[in-house]
Amino acid sequence: MSRWRAAAFRISAAAASRNAAAESRVLSRACAKAPTVPPPPLQTLSRTFSKSAAAAAATSTATSRGPGAAASASAGPRAEVRLNSMFLSKPCSLALPPDSPLRAADPQYEGIKRFMLTLLLFYSKQSKAIRGANVVYDRITSQVDAPAIYDVFQLEKTFKTTFSLLVLHMWLVLRRLKEEGKDGVKFGQYIYEMYNHDVELRVSKAGVNLLLTKWMKELEKIFYGNIVKYDAAISPEARQDDLVNVIWRNIYAEEGSEAMDATAAPAVQALARYTRREATCLSLTDKDAMFSGNFKFTSLLPPTPSPSPKKPAR
């Protein structure tokens, strides 16, 4: 936990340092134009910039959606979230049905094109495995980056929470692949390489462009540390609340808050139930679906009910 806090603090500090430098340059230009007016404090200036950016984003969104957007948003039905009754259903396979539009299929070519691609090893076992790993990792990021996972589990979308959820879902997939022996471990390595590249891009977007290798090593230690903790928390010897405590520490807890917050307890327990259920569901998912990426994590929000058609007036 201390490694994660140190890395997260340094990443946030680097981003804050970059923003502070930009604000200082703006402040210097403002002071040069009007030397008689005392410059505002940097914190006040930061809040002003934040409010202006938020207002501009809101205006842009409203403009792009049109004048009827607010009315339609308020009028449209919204799915109700009941944490205490979620993820209690019987686990089932996560494999996509054969007619699902979400299925990924390997491209099939004929004639000279297939011959050339065969020479280029496009249809080799390794190439097929890499393409399948790419689809699997897309399934992971689709679940982690979806707004629903933050709404349901009451999480603020920050670098820490996104990274923690990414590690959690990577662990779920890698744990399932281990059940397939050496082939699963080798396939999982392809997924891990894609994960590393993606995390590097996410760290850069968070504002860290210097000493990137150092931060990646810190995040790698956190990744393996969390994997060990999740394995121990879901083992047959573990207590029932071990997974809840691990999820609280890895995803929810802030600096200096070791005891679980009572207000966050329902969300933490729901995420623990979701994790246990997904682990079982993935174990029920067949090998072909896992290696091709033709599976989908459980939907977190129930489908939004469509408004009933109005009866014509007589």
Side-chain angles (χ1 to χ4, degrees), residues 5 26 52 101 126 161 283 312:
R5 288 172 178 167
V26 174
S52 300
Q126 183 180 15
T161 55
S283 294

Side-chain angles (χ1 to χ4, degrees), residues 245-258:
N245 294 330
V246 169
I247 287 177
W248 162 256
R249 290 193 299 267
N250 287 351
I251 301 176
Y252 285 86
E254 298 294 340
E255 182 69 27
S257 58
E258 290 296 332

